[in-house]
Amino acid sequence: MAEIRQRKGKGPAKEEYRTAVVEELETSESDTPAPKPTRKPSTKELINEEEEYSPWLDILRVLSFLIVASCGLSYLISSGESFTWNLRAPPKYMQLDWWKTQLRGPIYLTPSELSQYDGTDESKPIYLAINGTIYDVSSNRRTYGPGGSYRFFAGADAARSYITGCFAEDRTPDLRGVEEMFLPLDDPAVDSHWTAAELAALKEQELKEAREKAHEALAHWVRFFEASPKYPKIGYVKKEKNWLDKEPRKKLCETAAKGRKPRKIPGSEE
């Protein structure tokens, strides 16, 4: 009898798949491992770290900040003139002499004492006074010292000369009659165009305006020295009581007198 054999199929064998089952496990805080305690560095390690630290980087940062801040401050104070404090006329509060004056307080000099600071003695500073206030002009010795164009102002209160322009003749604080340089000259032919009452009222008005002009002429120079960063205020002139009563009244200097003109006729052109 013939033997019957089973033929194996040529198709791929079937694969068996198994489904994985994931089970959720319950955990509790007691099952969570506790963190390991941080080990504190030893004293030796701390010392080594301090020895390895270098302060030079911090110092460089601070110096860089100070340089930048200094340049910016210089630019602001100098109104854009310089980043490096190279100022032609530094503010008063940046000058050593100004601070010395503030700490020392104002000085008081008599006219005789003030005259010793006219620049002839190079070991002394140069002082000038205007309207009773003393300023140190030593920073401009070429101008206010001997041979300088403004040497007449040094060592004196020459307030009158600031108004009249007569530097050599009017080295005095006596301002009596200085307003005359702004008054018109009397001329009978011209003055006849007014009645006596009108002319009196006109002269009164002219005198008022002349005094205002004299005051403003002096105030201009007072403001100049007060605001100047080059010339610090250091004190005041000490005068005797009623000192003007002992001084002879000065006449108007020739230069100032020549500037006076006759009164104008009403309606006339200049």
Side-chain angles (χ1 to χ4, degrees):
M1 178 185 255
E3 184 178 356
I4 301 174
R5 296 180 179 180
Q6 185 177 4
R7 182 179 294 178
K8 294 180 180 181
K10 295 181 180 180
K14 293 182 180 180
E15 296 181 0
E16 294 182 359
Y17 296 91
R18 294 182 180 180
T19 304
V21 178
V22 179
E23 295 182 0
E24 183 177 354
L25 301 177
E26 295 182 359
T27 59
S28 62
E29 293 182 358
S30 59
D31 298 332
T32 304
K36 296 181 180 180
T38 305
R39 186 178 67 85
K40 295 183 178 180
S42 64
T43 305
K44 184 177 181 180
E45 290 175 340
L46 291 175
I47 294 174
N48 291 336
E49 289 181 1
E50 290 181 359
E51 290 177 350
E52 292 176 358
Y53 168 73
S54 175
W56 292 111
L57 182 58
D58 290 339
I59 293 175
L60 182 60
R61 289 172 179 169
V62 172
L63 290 178
S64 299
F65 171 77
L66 292 176
I67 292 173
V68 173
S70 176
C71 292
L73 190 60
S74 173
Y75 186 83
L76 290 175
I77 291 179
S78 65
S79 300
E81 180 182 331
S82 173
F83 283 100
T84 56
W85 301 99
N86 187 23
L87 309 180
R88 290 190 295 270
K92 292 181 179 179
Y93 56 82
M94 292 180 60
Q95 300 179 26
L96 180 60
D97 291 340
W98 185 83
W99 282 105
K100 288 180 179 179
T101 301
Q102 303 307 308
L103 296 173
R104 178 190 59 201
I107 63 174
Y108 294 87
L109 300 176
T110 64
S112 176
E113 292 170 338
L114 179 60
S115 65
Q116 300 175 20
Y117 297 89
D118 61 354
T120 53
D121 186 348
E122 295 185 357
S123 64
K124 294 181 179 180
I126 300 178
Y127 295 161
L128 66 75
I130 179 170
N131 206 30
T133 303
I134 303 174
Y135 293 90
D136 187 342
V137 295
S138 305
S139 60
N140 199 357
R141 187 174 289 270
R142 179 184 299 179
T143 301
Y144 292 98
S149 55
Y150 288 164
R151 64 186 181 279
F152 301 103
F153 297 133
D157 186 343
R160 186 183 183 93
S161 65
Y162 287 95
I163 303 174
T164 63
C166 300
F167 298 160
E169 302 94 321
D170 286 343
R171 297 181 74 245
T172 175
D174 185 358
L175 302 180
R176 291 176 298 177
V178 72
E179 69 277 1
E180 293 177 7
M181 65 179 295
F182 300 106
L183 290 174
L185 293 170
D186 292 329
D187 186 339
V190 175
D191 295 346
S192 62
H193 290 79
W194 292 273
T195 64
E198 291 173 341
L199 186 60
L202 179 61
K203 287 186 176 182
E204 184 176 351
Q205 180 63 27
E206 290 171 345
L207 180 60
K208 179 182 177 181
E209 294 176 356
R211 287 172 175 168
E212 290 176 353
K213 289 180 180 179
H215 172 78
E216 182 56 32
L218 180 61
H220 167 77
W221 289 107
V222 170
R223 290 191 296 265
F224 169 79
F225 283 104
E226 285 180 347
S228 175
K230 296 174 60 178
Y231 309 130
K233 179 172 66 175
I234 62 167
Y236 304 94
V237 179
K238 183 169 55 177
K239 301 174 183 176
E240 296 180 3
K241 188 177 180 179
N242 300 323
W243 64 274
L244 269 178
D245 297 339
K246 303 176 182 179
E247 297 287 332
R249 189 181 179 93
K250 289 185 67 66
K251 293 183 179 180
L252 198 61
C253 66
E254 184 178 355
T255 301
K258 287 182 178 180
R260 300 180 64 188
K261 297 179 181 179
R263 188 172 290 106
K264 296 177 184 178
I265 300 175
S268 63
E269 297 181 357
E270 186 174 347

